[in-house]
Amino acid sequence: MSLTSYIGSNVSIEEKGYEEEPVEGKIFVGPSFSDEGSLDEVKEAQFSTTYVYEVTFNSWGMELSPYQDEKFYEENKTGLHQVCEMMDSYLDVGEFFEFYTCWVGEEFNSKGAEITLPIRDWYTEGMELREQTLIRFVKGY
């Protein structure tokens, strides 16, 4: 099984799949592990937004877990920062995007938790953002 992440937004964003630009250390928006059925399932079960996209970093879903080694944790943190920077350019003040990570095939499973964070300065040292958590990133002033 593979860990994958999804973002939901009420604004359309440009897809940039891994095959189109295979650059290590960058996020990719578009099909990677999931198919159209997985996108439909995760949209129905997890998101409140109009548009849903798969998003990966180095071809992998992103979570912050104390069970990861330090290098992988830092890579995932970098990927999440890149997602927030990208979405910050699409959103107006007060708008949000949603972020959700799960194992492929578990898109329809129940959420484990829901949290809201600012799109900028969201990280605190040692933060844990596990799979099956819906994170709403809100763009502030």
Side-chain angles (χ1 to χ4, degrees):
M1 290 180 86
S2 297
L3 190 67
T4 193
S5 297
Y6 299 93
I7 54 175
S9 175
N10 288 319
V11 296
S12 177
I13 63 172
E14 179 184 349
E15 289 192 39
K16 182 175 57 174
Y18 184 74
E19 291 77 23
E20 296 171 23
E21 188 182 327
V23 179
E24 189 171 323
K26 299 285 184 187
I27 58 167
F28 302 98
V29 179
S32 182
F33 298 112
S34 66
D35 56 21
E36 211 45 51
S38 298
L39 283 174
D40 290 341
E41 283 184 358
V42 78
K43 180 178 179 181
E44 179 183 340
Q46 312 304 340
F47 291 98
S48 67
T49 57
T50 305
Y51 303 99
V52 173
Y53 305 90
E54 184 175 10
V55 61
T56 57
F57 181 75
N58 288 343
S59 296
W60 196 251
M62 295 163 271
E63 71 167 342
L64 300 179
S65 167
Y67 304 110
Q68 296 168 320
D69 66 42
E70 186 176 333
K71 180 181 182 283
F72 194 59
Y73 184 96
E74 290 300 318
E75 287 176 359
N76 281 303
K77 186 172 76 172
T78 297
L80 280 167
H81 277 296
Q82 287 182 22
V83 170
C84 288
E85 287 172 10
M86 176 191 70
M87 291 307 296
D88 190 39
S89 70
Y90 283 97
L91 301 175
D92 292 326
V93 172
E95 293 182 325
F96 66 91
F97 79 95
E98 295 172 328
F99 180 88
Y100 186 77
T101 297
C102 64
W103 293 97
V104 173
E106 296 182 355
E107 287 83 359
F108 213 70
N109 289 4
S110 298
K111 290 181 204 61
E114 288 187 47
I115 61 172
T116 300
L117 296 170
I119 201 168
R120 293 185 183 164
D121 301 321
W122 57 266
Y123 182 75
T124 57
E125 191 64 38
M127 177 179 261
E128 183 175 352
L129 299 173
R130 300 294 308 269
E131 83 261 6
Q132 294 185 304
T133 300
L134 182 73
I135 307 163
R136 184 171 289 114
F137 288 98
V138 179
K139 183 169 181 170
Y141 298 94

